Amino acid sequence: MVLLGSAIRKGLSFGCCWANAMLVVGWWLRPITAYHIVPMFFSALSWRDLLPPATRPDVVSVTWIRWIRESINSLLPVANIGGDIASARLAHLRGVPGPQAAASMVVDTTVGVVTQMAFVIAGVVLLVLRPTGGAAFEVVAGVLLGVGALVAAVAAFVLVQHKNMFARFAELARRLLPEQWLAHFAGSASAVDDAVVLAYRSGAAFWRANLLRLIGWAAGAGEIWLVTWCLGQPLGATDAFILESLSSGVRAAAFMVPAALGVQEGGLVLFGALFGLPAEIGLAISLSKRVREVLLGLPGLLFWYWIEGHYLLRRNGRSGG
């Protein structure tokens, strides 16, 4: 009973500390949410460079499409691919040919994962170089093991992309589904494969896309810096960079877990302890990210529904006329 009472008191104490932390963050959620537009903007510019120059939408269009893409992937149970499909469709509605829009999403996803791994590795290197870096050896080893597995998976994915991935998929689907269901897809599969290869061979545009996406990942550290600053336990810019990189790596590894629920929270508590942050601060950082996803995501979903509804009304109006 004594042990149980002690555990309850500790739990209540922790809950009160966490609640107080979130009350303080509450006043800062609006600027923290608004700040996320910065990394999102760089991600949008990165994707834009992968689209064909002749039909490339303007910066404002790719930014709101990117916003909708993140909203869908953050709030809907779509395994982080539903938003990609929707954004390819929206790009097509903005004048990008269907094969090029689909190919840009495939290559953009690959660029995102590759640059995220580079971001995580940079964070690991900076962690090791810290004066207390030796104490984090187990964390470093675990992160590098996960990165190694992702490198192998991405390398295989890139190889498949250069081996007529969509044409092979269409051939497999043809054996399983009725021909009339696949008529349109089968006809454009080879065009998508060609567009994927062209995107990789776009020279300066492809490498600029990688650089912009990497800047976007690094800019995300500003969100952690803002949260810890408003809680009165500010991290340095380097420590915020490390914490963001490690937590993003954990979230990427748990891509099959809807919204990385529990995984993100555990990662921020674990990695935050390396910088002397109490567990309630790590949870407050995670919850601020969750709230930001809702505050930005719900309007994004509503905007998406409005766009799709408006398109359907116009199409039905033309067919009815």
Side-chain angles (χ1 to χ4, degrees):
M1 292 296 293
V2 174
L3 291 176
L4 179 60
S6 176
I8 293 174
R9 284 194 297 273
K10 288 182 179 179
L12 291 174
S13 176
F14 173 79
C16 289
C17 291
W18 175 77
N20 289 334
M22 282 314 301
L23 284 174
V24 176
V25 173
W27 294 102
W28 289 91
L29 283 174
R30 282 176 290 182
I32 289 171
T33 298
Y35 175 80
H36 184 70
I37 296 173
V38 176
M40 185 173 68
F41 178 68
F42 280 106
S43 296
L45 292 180
S46 171
W47 169 52
R48 185 172 183 267
D49 272 331
L50 298 172
L51 291 165
T55 56
R56 186 177 290 165
D58 58 75
V59 172
V60 174
S61 295
V62 296
T63 302
W64 64 252
I65 293 175
R66 178 74 200 189
W67 169 40
I68 291 175
R69 177 182 176 183
E70 287 196 11
S71 300
I72 294 172
N73 285 341
S74 296
L75 299 183
L76 299 181
V78 290
N80 282 331
I81 61 172
D84 299 359
I85 296 171
S87 59
R89 170 177 164 77
L90 291 172
H92 180 51
L93 294 180
R94 298 295 293 181
V96 180
Q100 282 79 10
S104 72
M105 282 298 101
V106 173
V107 180
D108 181 66
T109 299
T110 308
V111 167
V113 175
V114 170
T115 52
Q116 186 176 26
M117 288 189 295
F119 177 50
V120 172
I121 292 172
V124 169
V125 171
L126 290 173
L127 178 62
V128 171
L129 293 177
R130 293 178 81 249
T132 58
F137 176 78
E138 291 184 0
V139 173
V140 170
V143 171
L144 289 180
L145 183 63
V147 168
L150 280 175
V151 167
V154 171
F157 183 50
V158 172
L159 180 63
V160 170
Q161 290 176 43
H162 284 79
K163 298 292 184 181
N164 300 319
M165 178 178 72
F166 284 92
R168 291 175 183 270
F169 177 76
E171 181 62 31
L172 176 63
R174 189 178 290 113
R175 301 174 185 175
L176 303 175
L177 300 172
E179 184 69 28
Q180 61 269 25
W181 292 11
L182 301 169
H184 178 71
F185 175 73
S188 61
S190 296
V192 176
D193 286 325
D194 293 339
V196 167
V197 175
L198 284 176
Y200 279 111
R201 295 177 179 175
S202 57
F206 174 74
W207 295 111
R208 188 166 57 246
N210 280 267
L211 177 60
L212 288 168
R213 194 62 178 275
L214 190 57
I215 293 173
W217 288 119
E223 187 174 351
I224 286 183
W225 184 88
L226 278 172
V227 176
T228 57
W229 180 81
C230 75
L231 288 174
Q233 297 198 38
L235 289 175
T238 301
D239 288 349
F241 181 97
I242 296 171
L243 184 53
E244 175 66 15
S245 68
L246 297 181
S247 62
S248 75
V250 169
R251 181 160 181 152
F255 68 95
M256 289 303 294
V257 179
L261 290 174
V263 179
Q264 175 178 277
E265 286 72 18
L268 283 167
V269 169
L270 172 64
F271 299 137
L274 299 175
F275 305 100
L277 294 179
E280 61 267 19
I281 300 297
L283 283 177
I285 294 172
S286 178
L287 187 56
S288 71
K289 288 177 175 286
R290 300 292 186 194
V291 173
R292 179 257 297 161
E293 289 175 353
V294 174
L295 291 178
L296 278 180
L298 285 179
L301 290 179
L302 292 174
F303 187 40
W304 175 46
Y305 294 153
W306 180 85
I307 290 172
E308 291 289 354
H310 187 64
Y311 170 75
L312 288 175
L313 285 175
R314 283 194 304 167
R315 190 180 66 176
N316 291 338
R318 287 195 299 266
S319 61

